[in-house]
Short mmCIF file of all heavy atoms in Angstrom, two decimals:
data_model
loop_
_atom_site.label_atom_id
_atom_site.label_comp_id
_atom_site.label_asym_id
_atom_site.label_seq_id
_atom_site.Cartn_x
_atom_site.Cartn_y
_atom_site.Cartn_z
N GLY A 58 -7.62 23.35 15.33
CA GLY A 58 -6.71 23.85 16.34
C GLY A 58 -6.81 25.34 16.50
O GLY A 58 -7.76 25.96 16.00
N ASN A 59 -5.84 25.93 17.20
CA ASN A 59 -5.90 27.37 17.50
C ASN A 59 -5.03 28.18 16.56
O ASN A 59 -4.15 28.91 16.98
CB ASN A 59 -5.43 27.58 18.93
CG ASN A 59 -6.31 26.89 19.93
OD1 ASN A 59 -7.54 26.78 19.77
ND2 ASN A 59 -5.67 26.34 20.95
N PHE A 60 -5.32 28.08 15.27
CA PHE A 60 -4.62 28.85 14.28
C PHE A 60 -5.56 29.93 13.70
O PHE A 60 -6.75 29.75 13.69
CB PHE A 60 -4.10 27.95 13.16
CG PHE A 60 -2.80 27.25 13.50
CD1 PHE A 60 -2.83 26.14 14.31
CD2 PHE A 60 -1.61 27.73 13.03
CE1 PHE A 60 -1.63 25.47 14.65
CE2 PHE A 60 -0.39 27.07 13.34
CZ PHE A 60 -0.42 25.97 14.16
N PRO A 61 -4.97 31.06 13.23
CA PRO A 61 -5.80 32.13 12.65
C PRO A 61 -6.49 31.65 11.36
O PRO A 61 -6.12 30.65 10.78
CB PRO A 61 -4.80 33.23 12.37
CG PRO A 61 -3.45 32.61 12.34
CD PRO A 61 -3.52 31.43 13.23
N GLY A 62 -7.49 32.43 10.95
CA GLY A 62 -8.29 32.08 9.81
C GLY A 62 -7.53 32.05 8.48
O GLY A 62 -8.04 31.58 7.46
N ARG A 63 -6.28 32.58 8.52
CA ARG A 63 -5.46 32.52 7.29
C ARG A 63 -5.13 31.09 6.90
O ARG A 63 -4.77 30.79 5.79
CB ARG A 63 -4.10 33.25 7.54
CG ARG A 63 -4.22 34.71 7.88
CD ARG A 63 -2.85 35.38 7.96
NE ARG A 63 -1.99 34.83 9.00
CZ ARG A 63 -0.95 34.04 8.78
NH1 ARG A 63 -0.62 33.68 7.56
NH2 ARG A 63 -0.22 33.59 9.80
N PHE A 64 -5.26 30.20 7.87
CA PHE A 64 -5.04 28.76 7.63
C PHE A 64 -6.36 28.09 7.36
O PHE A 64 -7.28 28.16 8.21
CB PHE A 64 -4.36 28.11 8.83
CG PHE A 64 -2.95 28.59 9.07
CD1 PHE A 64 -2.72 29.80 9.73
CD2 PHE A 64 -1.86 27.84 8.66
CE1 PHE A 64 -1.41 30.21 9.94
CE2 PHE A 64 -0.57 28.23 8.90
CZ PHE A 64 -0.33 29.44 9.50
N SER A 65 -6.50 27.51 6.20
CA SER A 65 -7.74 26.81 5.89
C SER A 65 -7.44 25.51 5.16
O SER A 65 -6.30 25.29 4.68
CB SER A 65 -8.65 27.71 5.02
OG SER A 65 -8.00 27.96 3.77
N GLY A 66 -8.42 24.70 5.06
CA GLY A 66 -8.22 23.40 4.38
C GLY A 66 -9.50 22.92 3.75
O GLY A 66 -10.56 23.50 3.96
N ARG A 67 -9.37 21.84 3.06
CA ARG A 67 -10.54 21.16 2.51
C ARG A 67 -10.17 19.73 2.18
O ARG A 67 -9.00 19.38 2.04
CB ARG A 67 -11.10 21.88 1.30
CG ARG A 67 -10.13 22.02 0.15
CD ARG A 67 -10.83 22.75 -1.00
NE ARG A 67 -9.95 22.97 -2.12
CZ ARG A 67 -10.36 23.33 -3.36
NH1 ARG A 67 -11.64 23.49 -3.59
NH2 ARG A 67 -9.51 23.55 -4.32
N GLN A 68 -11.23 18.91 2.03
CA GLN A 68 -11.01 17.52 1.68
C GLN A 68 -11.97 17.18 0.53
O GLN A 68 -13.14 17.60 0.53
CB GLN A 68 -11.26 16.57 2.87
CG GLN A 68 -10.87 15.14 2.57
CD GLN A 68 -11.13 14.22 3.74
OE1 GLN A 68 -12.07 14.45 4.55
NE2 GLN A 68 -10.31 13.21 3.87
N PHE A 69 -11.44 16.45 -0.39
CA PHE A 69 -12.23 16.09 -1.60
C PHE A 69 -12.88 14.73 -1.42
O PHE A 69 -12.57 13.99 -0.48
CB PHE A 69 -11.34 16.12 -2.83
CG PHE A 69 -10.67 17.47 -3.05
CD1 PHE A 69 -9.40 17.70 -2.58
CD2 PHE A 69 -11.36 18.49 -3.69
CE1 PHE A 69 -8.79 18.93 -2.76
CE2 PHE A 69 -10.75 19.71 -3.90
CZ PHE A 69 -9.47 19.95 -3.41
N SER A 70 -13.73 14.36 -2.37
CA SER A 70 -14.49 13.09 -2.26
C SER A 70 -13.57 11.90 -2.31
O SER A 70 -13.94 10.83 -1.82
CB SER A 70 -15.54 13.03 -3.36
OG SER A 70 -14.95 13.12 -4.62
N ASN A 71 -12.38 12.03 -2.87
CA ASN A 71 -11.44 10.89 -2.89
C ASN A 71 -10.52 10.89 -1.68
O ASN A 71 -9.51 10.19 -1.64
CB ASN A 71 -10.62 10.93 -4.20
CG ASN A 71 -9.75 12.19 -4.31
OD1 ASN A 71 -9.82 13.07 -3.43
ND2 ASN A 71 -8.98 12.29 -5.38
N SER A 72 -10.85 11.73 -0.69
CA SER A 72 -10.13 11.85 0.58
C SER A 72 -8.85 12.70 0.50
O SER A 72 -8.26 13.00 1.53
CB SER A 72 -9.79 10.50 1.24
OG SER A 72 -11.01 9.89 1.67
N ARG A 73 -8.44 13.06 -0.70
CA ARG A 73 -7.26 13.93 -0.80
C ARG A 73 -7.59 15.27 -0.15
O ARG A 73 -8.74 15.68 -0.11
CB ARG A 73 -6.95 14.17 -2.30
CG ARG A 73 -5.60 14.84 -2.51
CD ARG A 73 -5.28 14.96 -4.02
NE ARG A 73 -6.16 15.91 -4.70
CZ ARG A 73 -5.90 17.22 -4.73
NH1 ARG A 73 -4.85 17.73 -4.13
NH2 ARG A 73 -6.76 18.02 -5.38
N SER A 74 -6.56 15.89 0.45
CA SER A 74 -6.81 17.12 1.17
C SER A 74 -5.84 18.20 0.71
O SER A 74 -4.69 17.92 0.26
CB SER A 74 -6.68 16.89 2.68
OG SER A 74 -6.83 18.05 3.43
N GLU A 75 -6.26 19.44 0.85
CA GLU A 75 -5.40 20.55 0.56
C GLU A 75 -5.44 21.51 1.78
O GLU A 75 -6.48 21.61 2.44
CB GLU A 75 -5.86 21.33 -0.66
CG GLU A 75 -5.53 20.66 -1.96
CD GLU A 75 -5.95 21.50 -3.19
OE1 GLU A 75 -6.70 22.48 -3.02
OE2 GLU A 75 -5.57 21.08 -4.30
N MET A 76 -4.29 22.16 2.01
CA MET A 76 -4.25 23.17 3.04
C MET A 76 -3.80 24.46 2.39
O MET A 76 -2.85 24.47 1.57
CB MET A 76 -3.25 22.75 4.13
CG MET A 76 -3.30 23.63 5.37
SD MET A 76 -1.93 23.34 6.42
CE MET A 76 -0.82 24.64 5.90
N ASN A 77 -4.44 25.56 2.75
CA ASN A 77 -4.13 26.85 2.17
C ASN A 77 -3.71 27.81 3.28
O ASN A 77 -4.36 27.86 4.32
CB ASN A 77 -5.30 27.39 1.40
CG ASN A 77 -5.00 28.67 0.64
OD1 ASN A 77 -5.07 29.74 1.22
ND2 ASN A 77 -4.60 28.56 -0.61
N VAL A 78 -2.65 28.56 3.03
CA VAL A 78 -2.27 29.64 3.96
C VAL A 78 -2.24 30.93 3.15
O VAL A 78 -1.51 31.02 2.14
CB VAL A 78 -0.92 29.41 4.60
CG1 VAL A 78 -0.68 30.44 5.72
CG2 VAL A 78 -0.80 28.01 5.19
N SER A 79 -3.04 31.90 3.55
CA SER A 79 -3.06 33.18 2.84
C SER A 79 -2.24 34.22 3.58
O SER A 79 -1.94 34.07 4.80
CB SER A 79 -4.50 33.66 2.64
OG SER A 79 -5.10 33.89 3.93
N THR A 80 -1.87 35.27 2.90
CA THR A 80 -1.14 36.40 3.49
C THR A 80 0.00 35.87 4.39
O THR A 80 0.02 36.09 5.59
CB THR A 80 -2.07 37.33 4.30
OG1 THR A 80 -3.32 37.47 3.62
CG2 THR A 80 -1.42 38.69 4.45
N LEU A 81 0.92 35.19 3.78
CA LEU A 81 2.00 34.50 4.51
C LEU A 81 2.80 35.48 5.36
O LEU A 81 3.07 36.64 4.97
CB LEU A 81 2.91 33.79 3.53
CG LEU A 81 2.39 32.46 2.99
CD1 LEU A 81 3.22 32.01 1.77
CD2 LEU A 81 2.40 31.39 4.03
N GLU A 82 3.18 35.00 6.55
CA GLU A 82 4.06 35.75 7.45
C GLU A 82 5.33 34.95 7.65
O GLU A 82 5.37 33.74 7.45
CB GLU A 82 3.32 35.93 8.79
CG GLU A 82 2.07 36.73 8.67
CD GLU A 82 1.31 36.83 10.00
OE1 GLU A 82 1.85 36.28 11.02
OE2 GLU A 82 0.25 37.47 10.03
N LEU A 83 6.40 35.66 8.07
CA LEU A 83 7.69 34.98 8.30
C LEU A 83 7.52 33.82 9.26
O LEU A 83 8.16 32.76 9.11
CB LEU A 83 8.71 35.98 8.83
CG LEU A 83 9.11 37.10 7.88
CD1 LEU A 83 10.13 38.01 8.54
CD2 LEU A 83 9.68 36.56 6.60
N GLY A 84 6.65 33.98 10.27
CA GLY A 84 6.48 32.96 11.28
C GLY A 84 5.76 31.71 10.79
O GLY A 84 5.64 30.72 11.54
N ASP A 85 5.29 31.76 9.57
CA ASP A 85 4.64 30.57 8.99
C ASP A 85 5.65 29.56 8.45
O ASP A 85 5.29 28.46 8.04
CB ASP A 85 3.69 30.97 7.87
CG ASP A 85 2.52 31.86 8.33
OD1 ASP A 85 2.16 31.73 9.53
OD2 ASP A 85 2.00 32.64 7.52
N SER A 86 6.92 29.97 8.44
CA SER A 86 7.96 29.04 7.99
C SER A 86 8.02 27.83 8.92
O SER A 86 8.17 27.99 10.16
CB SER A 86 9.35 29.74 8.03
OG SER A 86 9.40 30.76 7.07
N ALA A 87 7.82 26.67 8.38
CA ALA A 87 7.71 25.48 9.22
C ALA A 87 7.65 24.26 8.32
O ALA A 87 7.57 24.34 7.09
CB ALA A 87 6.44 25.52 10.06
N LEU A 88 7.63 23.07 8.96
CA LEU A 88 7.36 21.83 8.30
C LEU A 88 5.90 21.53 8.49
O LEU A 88 5.41 21.49 9.62
CB LEU A 88 8.23 20.70 8.84
CG LEU A 88 8.03 19.31 8.26
CD1 LEU A 88 8.52 19.28 6.78
CD2 LEU A 88 8.76 18.26 9.08
N TYR A 89 5.17 21.35 7.39
CA TYR A 89 3.73 21.04 7.51
C TYR A 89 3.54 19.56 7.19
O TYR A 89 3.88 19.06 6.15
CB TYR A 89 2.91 21.91 6.54
CG TYR A 89 2.92 23.35 7.02
CD1 TYR A 89 3.92 24.22 6.64
CD2 TYR A 89 1.91 23.81 7.89
CE1 TYR A 89 3.92 25.55 7.11
CE2 TYR A 89 1.92 25.11 8.35
CZ TYR A 89 2.94 25.99 7.98
OH TYR A 89 2.96 27.25 8.46
N LEU A 90 2.97 18.88 8.20
CA LEU A 90 2.79 17.45 8.11
C LEU A 90 1.30 17.10 7.95
O LEU A 90 0.46 17.65 8.63
CB LEU A 90 3.34 16.77 9.37
CG LEU A 90 4.87 16.80 9.49
CD1 LEU A 90 5.29 16.56 10.95
CD2 LEU A 90 5.51 15.76 8.64
N CYS A 91 1.07 16.16 7.11
CA CYS A 91 -0.27 15.63 6.90
C CYS A 91 -0.24 14.20 7.42
O CYS A 91 0.75 13.47 7.25
CB CYS A 91 -0.60 15.70 5.41
SG CYS A 91 -1.92 14.63 4.90
N ALA A 92 -1.34 13.76 8.02
CA ALA A 92 -1.44 12.39 8.50
C ALA A 92 -2.84 11.84 8.17
O ALA A 92 -3.83 12.58 8.29
CB ALA A 92 -1.23 12.32 10.00
N SER A 93 -2.88 10.58 7.76
CA SER A 93 -4.20 9.99 7.49
C SER A 93 -4.41 8.86 8.51
O SER A 93 -3.48 8.29 9.07
CB SER A 93 -4.26 9.48 6.07
OG SER A 93 -3.55 8.27 5.87
N SER A 94 -5.68 8.56 8.70
CA SER A 94 -6.04 7.44 9.54
C SER A 94 -7.33 6.85 9.06
O SER A 94 -8.11 7.53 8.37
CB SER A 94 -6.12 7.82 11.03
OG SER A 94 -7.20 8.68 11.24
N LEU A 95 -7.58 5.61 9.45
CA LEU A 95 -8.76 4.92 8.96
C LEU A 95 -10.04 5.51 9.50
O LEU A 95 -10.99 5.81 8.76
CB LEU A 95 -8.64 3.45 9.36
CG LEU A 95 -9.54 2.44 8.68
CD1 LEU A 95 -9.33 2.47 7.17
CD2 LEU A 95 -9.20 1.04 9.21
N ARG A 96 -10.06 5.73 10.84
CA ARG A 96 -11.33 6.13 11.48
C ARG A 96 -11.21 7.47 12.20
O ARG A 96 -12.16 7.87 12.86
CB ARG A 96 -11.77 5.06 12.47
CG ARG A 96 -12.17 3.75 11.79
CD ARG A 96 -12.62 2.73 12.86
NE ARG A 96 -11.54 2.36 13.77
CZ ARG A 96 -10.65 1.39 13.51
NH1 ARG A 96 -10.73 0.73 12.37
NH2 ARG A 96 -9.70 1.07 14.35
N GLY A 97 -10.10 8.14 12.09
CA GLY A 97 -9.99 9.43 12.74
C GLY A 97 -9.00 9.41 13.89
O GLY A 97 -8.62 8.32 14.38
N GLN A 98 -8.60 10.57 14.39
CA GLN A 98 -7.54 10.72 15.39
C GLN A 98 -7.77 9.90 16.63
O GLN A 98 -6.86 9.28 17.18
CB GLN A 98 -7.44 12.19 15.81
CG GLN A 98 -6.76 13.05 14.76
CD GLN A 98 -6.27 14.37 15.38
OE1 GLN A 98 -6.48 14.64 16.55
NE2 GLN A 98 -5.61 15.14 14.61
N GLY A 99 -8.97 9.85 17.11
CA GLY A 99 -9.20 9.19 18.37
C GLY A 99 -9.36 7.67 18.28
O GLY A 99 -9.44 7.00 19.30
N ASN A 100 -9.47 7.16 17.06
CA ASN A 100 -9.89 5.78 16.91
C ASN A 100 -8.88 4.88 16.14
O ASN A 100 -9.10 3.67 16.11
CB ASN A 100 -11.22 5.73 16.19
CG ASN A 100 -12.27 6.50 16.94
OD1 ASN A 100 -12.62 6.18 18.05
ND2 ASN A 100 -12.80 7.54 16.30
N SER A 101 -7.89 5.48 15.57
CA SER A 101 -6.90 4.67 14.87
C SER A 101 -5.62 5.48 14.73
O SER A 101 -5.64 6.70 14.72
CB SER A 101 -7.42 4.23 13.49
OG SER A 101 -7.95 5.35 12.78
N PRO A 102 -4.46 4.77 14.63
CA PRO A 102 -3.18 5.49 14.60
C PRO A 102 -3.07 6.40 13.38
O PRO A 102 -3.63 6.14 12.33
CB PRO A 102 -2.15 4.37 14.55
CG PRO A 102 -2.82 3.18 15.05
CD PRO A 102 -4.27 3.34 14.63
#
Side-chain angles (χ1 to χ4, degrees):
Chain A
N59 299 323
F60 278 80
R63 300 186 297 106
F64 292 81
S65 63
R67 59 179 177 166
Q68 187 180 32
F69 302 95
S70 58
N71 61 358
S72 292
R73 191 177 71 84
S74 177
E75 285 182 349
M76 191 192 94
N77 186 276
V78 189
S79 62
T80 320
L81 283 165
E82 299 177 0
L83 295 179
D85 296 334
S86 295
L88 179 68
Y89 290 88
L90 290 160
C91 160
S93 75
S94 68
L95 196 56
R96 292 182 295 274
Q98 285 199 356
N100 302 298
S101 49

